[in-house]
Amino acid sequence: MPDQSLLEDLDDDREFNVEFVGNFGRFVSFGSYPVDYFLTSLSMKQAYSYLHFARDIQMEDINFDLLMQRDIDEARVENEIMPYLKQDSGATSTRPLFFPPLLAAVVPVEGGRINSLYGSKSIQEVKPGFSGVSWEKHFQVYGKVTDKSDGLNLAPEIPGAPKIKAKQAVLALRTADVNDGGVMLVVIDGQHRLRALKRLMDENSQNIKDLILPVCIMYPPNSHSGVQDPDTTPSIPRVFRNLFVDVNSTMKEVGGHFNILLSDKNVGDIACRVFCDEVLKSYGKEGLALIEWNTRGKKDAYNVTKKYTSSSIGILKRGLEDNFKKDSYVYRLLKITAGSQDLFPEGADDDEYYPKIKWDKFSYAQSNSVKKRVNDHLVPFLLRLYFESVPFEKMKKVFLDEIKALKNQSQKGGHEGLNAQAVLSTILEYKPLENKAAFKSRMLDFEDAVEERRSELGLDVLRYALFQRAVFQALEKFIELGISFSVSPEKSFEGFLTLFDWIFENNASVFNFDQPYMQYTAFLQRSIRTREDTKRSFSDVILANLLREEVRGEISQLMCPDSTRLELDSSLRDEGFRAAGDLLGRYREERKSLFKKNFDMDYSLEKNERENLKLLEMEQKAAERQVKDGKKEEHTIEKKFDQKVSEYVEEYYVEAKVAFRKSLNIDGDLLEQDDETNDDLDDGAEGGED
Amino acid sequence: MIESAMSFRPEDQLRIPTRAGVYAFCFNPFRKSNLGLFEGEVHADAEIVEAKLGLKRKLQKFETLKSKFSLTGRLDFSNPYDRLQHTFQGTLIGKAVGAPSVDLAMLSNEEFLLYLELAAVASPLSQPIYCGMTVEQDLRARYTQHLKNYELARQRTFGGRLAESGIAWPDLTFVCSPATFSSNSEASIKMLERHMMFLFNPIMSVR
């Protein structure tokens, strides 16, 4: 919707097509890289046409910080800002409303991509008595020449540059929508406000037609192609990335994933942010699109909510936090020792450099080193797990194949091309999908295609948050064993990944919901049981695969030198038995508990069986009431109902155990374990033992 | 019949017997993995330098702990020609002898690694820093209680004192002698603890 009033007079020969009148100024402090600005006001019509969102332009070297700040919280726009602007509508308006100025950057754009520098800078006399500075083919600032002391020099580095009256300057732009290779005004602070205003314009422009927006337009005047050494000159993207992150990093109203990403208070939160950053660097936007990182709802933040994603940073955070908070793990995983000079410099003050680092306790001075260690030692493993391990690599391939199909389609043009482009923008650029049936239909097709192929590959279990958290729990066992054998965390990771990959290459059906042992322990029919025990069950099934000699041998060889290999092999086998036994014990308990609750609706039992059970239950309850009333001693009552239930459950148990042994392909028997043998440690008496 | 004490590293916690008995904590700063040197790895020079520095710091902390004694007293000076009594009083701050850690830099990388191998075997010879006994509680539960006190830095506990000293829990070895007889032998266990205190003089036990 270009501003026709300005375009009508546009002469084809003119270099610039839009002009704003306002005040010119410069921000420079202690030798900082100068940023010039221009304060002006825009009508809503102008704002709609000329102000753009950061996500509207593509950047070659976008990093995760910038991507995160570009994300627009549509719920906040709809539920907070739009209602604010709409209040008092219909009534006699007495309530004043105001927005602080939007901050917009002058960004050179070509072919939808941001250029690194403005055109060459030069002094120009625009008309008699008016002089200014032009950045070739991009923009110009000029004003009335003055010799007075309050005049501002537009280009102090150019000898003889004129001084102008700062309060009556003109900013002329060659806009990219009319001239490719021109500039765009990209809002770097206030994009939620702008989004709300644009949506209100779409709804009914009459209601805000009188609104004139305060806008501050900024640009780095020295980032132009005429500089002596363009390689050492800060590029436009770099300058605005810094400013963009600076002005947005103080945002307070965040939720869901943003609470994690904006926190640097503990190792888990730092790991999530560094992980996203590294995913973007190593696997590009396509890779990052596989990880959910910008969900704002609290509950959704800890699940996989999109059909095409592999995981979510909420799961990552919980997986790490649930298992690796212990000091010994923090030290091992981040390779911290008493001799780590970066964290514990010689002679450092204990308040500035804490002598002991914990998961959520390190000083500001230590936080950069912690972040670096997370980047160097922890994140490489997470990348391997989520992008290179057998099952996640398959998921990535399915996703990339479908993205490729979308890209091919988008290049063909036509309606189908437009639909594909809209879906790509939503998935890779995080732009909201417009409310058009064709777009939505294409998105559904994309999601269905990903889902179908994933199912065919037997990867559905990966999408459960509880399964992914179980992966971390099983990994913790490897780290623990590694510590016990003085093995580096890297080797423990490798050992774990060897097992994980082996399972998905050779025995992926071990997790299927229709396996008898997975029922009650993790699933009820086809539905997953959303509770912590399900996580334990998945973890136990992963670790029970250590009973397979072929993979265990490979892991032992990888993790340990000759001298301790047999011992490690034996420990891994014990862990496999422990895990299998725990799962079977859990199966029996859960089966029993649910049988008791549901036997009267269990039509696999004969009617007389159900009635008999009901009778026994009533008798037992009556006897138990007498015990509670003190009329009988507990040891005198017969628990015939419990006994009968146990008889039934024994049959199911044997069936589950046989199936589990078959899944694990082992000849020996499995020993069921009681929960009490889980070695949950007693906290012991409280203090004061001296 | 158990003929020698059983020793456990922190990662062996779940193997500690669930029986009564006497126990001690020994300081063992020599474990390679706690210094960042893992089994089966080729160690880079920088890793060995860091390990030396780490061990030096551990030994210095122990030295500081051993130096935590002082002598406070008063001396009365009398002179047959002076009727006034002169008194001298004050506190002498303790200083443990020797600072072995500074010598580490003299060792080449190979020598240092050999030194650590030898130290790993020699560490059972170390003097306990804390001795105790359990009768009602079992040894594992008592160990866990000490660990929790350490993690929470609880005042007036061994764990709290250890945390304050800067000595890291992973640098301890738990040595114990579990009772093989019934717990009515409380008197034997208590007597043995007293004798252990006398013989080993553990610097972090409160007597």
Side-chain angles (χ1 to χ4, degrees), chain A residues 324-336:
Chain A
F324 301 113
K325 269 179 96 168
K326 270 164 55 175
D327 292 351
S328 56
Y329 289 155
V330 173
Y331 273 62
R332 281 279 155 62
L333 292 177
L334 303 188
K335 295 208 163 181
I336 298 171

Side-chain angles (χ1 to χ4, degrees), chain A residues 263-290:
Chain A
S263 156
D264 53 5
K265 300 278 190 296
N266 64 62
V267 172
D269 290 349
I270 290 174
C272 287
R273 182 146 174 173
V274 175
F275 173 70
C276 289
D277 208 10
E278 289 301 312
V279 168
L280 188 61
K281 279 183 199 159
S282 305
Y283 300 97
K285 286 180 183 174
E286 289 81 2
L288 190 61
L290 278 163

Side-chain angles (χ1 to χ4, degrees), chain B residues 93-112:
Chain B
I93 304 300
K95 177 83 179 97
V97 288
S101 52
V102 293
D103 298 328
L104 287 172
M106 293 168 61
L107 297 179
S108 68
N109 288 356
E110 291 73 27
E111 286 169 335
F112 179 64

Side-chain angles (χ1 to χ4, degrees), chain A residues 337 344 484 686 689-690, chain B residues 9 50 57 146 154 161:
Chain A
T337 70
F344 315 114
S484 185
E686 293 292 309
E689 86 279 21
D690 289 339
Chain B
R9 302 165 303 171
E50 182 171 326
R57 287 174 170 177
H146 283 304
R154 281 196 179 116
R161 289 194 293 279

